[in-house]
Amino acid sequence: MTDPVRPVLQARGITKFFPGAIALADVDLTLMPGEVHALLGENGAGKSTLIKCLTGAYSRDGGTIRLDGRPIDPGSTEDSQRLGIGTVYQEVNLLPNLTVAENLFLGRQPRRWGLISRRRMAAEAEALLAGYGLKIDVREPLAAYSVAVQQVVAIARAAEMSGRVLILDEPTASLDAGEVELVFSVIRRLRARGLAIVFITHFLDQVFAICDRATVLRNGHVVGSRDLADATPRDIVHLMLGRQLETEMRLSHGGAAGPVLAEIEDLGRRGTLAPFSLSIREGEVIGLAGLLGAGRTETASLIFGAIQADQGRIRLGGRDLALRGPRDAIAAGIALCPEDRKADGIIGDLSVRENIILALQARQGWARPLSRGRAEEIAQGYLRALDIRAASLDMPIRLLSGGNQQKALLARWLATEPRLLILDEPTRGIDVGAHAEILHLIETLRAGGMALIVASSEMEELAAAASRVLVLRDRVQVAELEGRAITSENIVRAIADEEREVA
Amino acid sequence: MIRSTSLPLIVTLVTFVIAYALCASAYPAMLSSRVVANLLTDNAFLGIAAVGMTFVILSGGIDLSVGSVIAFTGVFLAVVLRDTSLHPLAAFALVLALTAGFGAAMGAVIHFLEMPAFIVTLAGMFLARGAAYVLSVDSVPITHEFCDWLQDIYWKAPSGGRFRLAGGVMVAVFLGAILVAHRTRFGQNVYAIGGGARTARLMGVPLARTTIGIYAISGGLSGLAGIVFALYTSAGYSLAAVGVELDAIAAVVIGGTLLTGGSGFVAGTFFGILIMGLIQTYIVFDGTLSSWWTKIVIGALLFTFILLQKGLTWATTIRRRPAAGSPTPS
């Protein structure tokens, strides 16, 4: 990029507060015409918040935005669209029941004598899409086409309506390789037209395939901006995860692993996760590492039966398991503490006690309710054992802090006395103190002979707690680290795909 | 080429043709223009109301107030014509403004208070019915020479059928509604809201204006249906037209419109009305069948069409089922 080219969009010092937290602190972003700019960062780094501030979906608490040198202050997404900033989201924001042409022209249909000219609309839509190399029947409903085509239509609509800046928020998250190429070809055409494009994704290979520059956010700060021509994937991963590489601690050293508890053979599901094999011993903590979207949650869900595997098998304690759903898994002694605590975990309006006994009660069947006394006893026990700070067992669980909610969820699954406990992001969104306690708890459970699987995006956590670490990338298991090899550095290296260098 | 979206409409059409062929084979007299003319006249008010219902259902809503509004319109007209010297045309205009305004108010409540259409229009149903009772508990005859004159307008087909004004009004309403639904931005916005209100808003559809417009149209057309019904029965009665909204919904669904909104055709509703009218006519011709058979056949038809719609939706989504599996409920 030569200097005389003026930036299309210049954001300076963007700051956004949420109640009790700073979501964005003094963030700068500069977009050049004809540039594809990757916006990177783990979950919660502030990517979406930044986008929402740029498009006016959030009002920012500080900073300036300049479009073509003029300061702008969009108050809504419609505003920013009129100014020239279009956005395409991961889930296609178009109407599946309308035809492709109707979707492209909704709100600005060509009219003759006050009536919509459907013929002209179809012709213009066809010409428009042909400009993106897409030849489809625009009179068919959008739902008849694949997500990739829908995504291209969404991009085309956004580009037509705005024309200066295009923000693509994980447009490729649910596409396969061929479909990604289709979307990329469209992006290249738009880049050639001089649009500035922001590309958000979790797939590093896609970043290097299509982007010119990358800005990395962490905890609401910009930690770096790099020209991708002279950066390596490892540099980028370092930027994304940086802090975690500074400290190394080690809780368990494998310890005395017991007999093999579970054997997983070629378990997988087409389009979700490539088949993988794994044997887990009692008293072992298996770590699952990988960037977001690499398949950590999918692995956990497959083992738990929350996603049906279409191949492979699981043996637990020498018995073959046929998991038709989480109920079967729970009955077999597997427990899963899910990643999204609010959506999949707690039931906010039920009391702490009810939340804790929920899984145990479900396993018993609703026809045989736990007695009040027994429920009280179990809940009290875990309250003490896990140091859950709740004013009362009767208070709704949503009033607890994140860390205490997480511990209550752990209690829920521990109450079922599982043989294999799967924890998906057990420390997300909780404070440092609770973080350490949960790591400590994992170690205690391991020492007690339980087998655990811990999926985490925090290398430090895995390095500290795991006896073995499986590294996933793009839904494929790419490496297994053991013993002394488990360091944040090695995990990062495996994630960033440096096998070419290593080999 | 047959598109998957127009399949329900085609099925309705084919159903109508087959049903008519069956009727005609049993009673050749049903082919006469007289039967056709009566089919249009007898179902005119229901057809007009069903057009409004089509817009409402296309947007993913429901309007339960239709029957009550029809009754209110009839009573209002009868009382106004009896007690005042207002010309019927002025009374028509007044009642249309009232009913359209009533619909718009319901639309505003639905949109701004974010209430389900079901509850709001249920309240509207009770309100309109109650208002009709307040005006008059008894059946009030409508006697005005202008109304009689309107009733006597007809075009006599060469073969003897008398096509009356009411049927003509219905056909005109259908033609107008087809234009509005498919060739105006308002119509497109109705489909957009039916496809997903949140997405529609993100795409710039004016939700408030459109929602209010939809229910105003339904209210106004209910009023027009009420006028036609009042002239047809020459009376206004607060107990009349109970449950007409359900007949209208049935006609819309038989016409191939998805109850979940976003997909369907105004023209389909027309054939839905004709199919329902045809069943009734057949039972009249037969003479031995109880009139309850109408309900049974319509029930069976409805059920078949719902299954058909489910099958079609399933068939269109199966083609592009996403690769990732959705978690099974525990």
Side-chain angles (χ1 to χ4, degrees), chain A residues 429-445:
Chain A
I430 64 178
D431 61 71
V432 183
H435 189 282
E437 284 179 57
I438 285 189
L439 283 187
H440 190 71
L441 183 68
I442 290 173
E443 175 57 20
T444 315
L445 291 171

Side-chain angles (χ1 to χ4, degrees), chain B residues 30-112:
Chain B
M30 277 186 74
L31 278 174
S32 76
S33 65
R34 199 166 308 185
V35 171
V36 176
N38 286 344
L39 201 59
L40 291 179
T41 311
D42 295 341
N43 294 293
F45 81 99
L46 180 60
I48 294 169
V51 169
M53 189 67 84
T54 309
F55 280 101
V56 171
I57 292 181
L58 277 178
S59 78
I62 197 97
D63 187 353
L64 298 179
S65 69
V66 169
S68 301
V69 171
I70 290 175
F72 169 81
T73 306
V75 176
F76 182 86
L77 276 182
V79 169
V80 164
L81 293 180
R82 183 190 65 189
D83 298 345
T84 72
S85 57
L86 215 58
H87 190 271
L89 276 181
F92 292 167
L94 186 63
V95 80
L96 282 181
L98 264 178
T99 51
F102 182 67
M106 289 196 295
V109 171
I110 290 167
H111 175 76
F112 290 112

Side-chain angles (χ1 to χ4, degrees), chain B residues 41-232:
Chain B
T41 311
D42 295 341
N43 294 293
F45 81 99
L46 180 60
I48 294 169
V51 169
M53 189 67 84
T54 309
F55 280 101
V56 171
I57 292 181
L58 277 178
S59 78
I62 197 97
D63 187 353
L64 298 179
S65 69
V66 169
S68 301
V69 171
I70 290 175
F72 169 81
T73 306
V75 176
F76 182 86
L77 276 182
V79 169
V80 164
L81 293 180
R82 183 190 65 189
D83 298 345
T84 72
S85 57
L86 215 58
H87 190 271
L89 276 181
F92 292 167
L94 186 63
V95 80
L96 282 181
L98 264 178
T99 51
F102 182 67
M106 289 196 295
V109 171
I110 290 167
H111 175 76
F112 290 112
L113 303 187
E114 291 169 15
M115 298 284 282
F118 188 95
I119 291 299
V120 175
T121 58
L122 186 70
M125 174 180 115
F126 285 117
L127 274 175
R129 185 74 65 183
Y133 277 117
V134 170
L135 287 174
S136 169
V137 184
D138 307 311
S139 175
V140 184
I142 295 178
T143 49
H144 194 283
E145 63 231 31
F146 180 74
C147 295
D148 297 338
W149 178 74
L150 281 180
Q151 269 302 83
D152 280 340
I153 299 177
Y154 60 83
W155 173 73
K156 192 165 175 193
S159 46
R162 290 175 186 203
F163 291 88
R164 292 184 185 278
L165 187 62
V169 169
M170 170 174 78
V171 172
V173 166
F174 267 104
L175 291 178
I178 289 172
L179 271 188
V180 169
H182 302 294
R183 302 296 290 274
T184 64
R185 289 190 178 169
F186 172 80
Q188 291 288 288
N189 290 344
V190 173
Y191 279 89
I193 291 179
R198 211 180 64 89
T199 309
R201 191 173 55 81
L202 282 176
M203 290 175 76
V205 170
L207 279 193
R209 214 168 68 205
T210 312
T211 308
I212 292 172
I214 290 165
Y215 286 89
I217 285 179
S218 180
L221 286 179
S222 300
L224 185 60
I227 295 172
V228 169
F229 186 70
L231 293 180
Y232 177 68

Side-chain angles (χ1 to χ4, degrees), chain A residues 434-467:
Chain A
H435 189 282
E437 284 179 57
I438 285 189
L439 283 187
H440 190 71
L441 183 68
I442 290 173
E443 175 57 20
T444 315
L445 291 171
R446 186 201 68 77
M450 192 185 285
L452 293 100
I453 297 178
V454 178
S456 175
S457 54
E458 299 198 31
M459 310 300 135
E460 171 197 46
E461 189 174 300
L462 292 176
S467 343

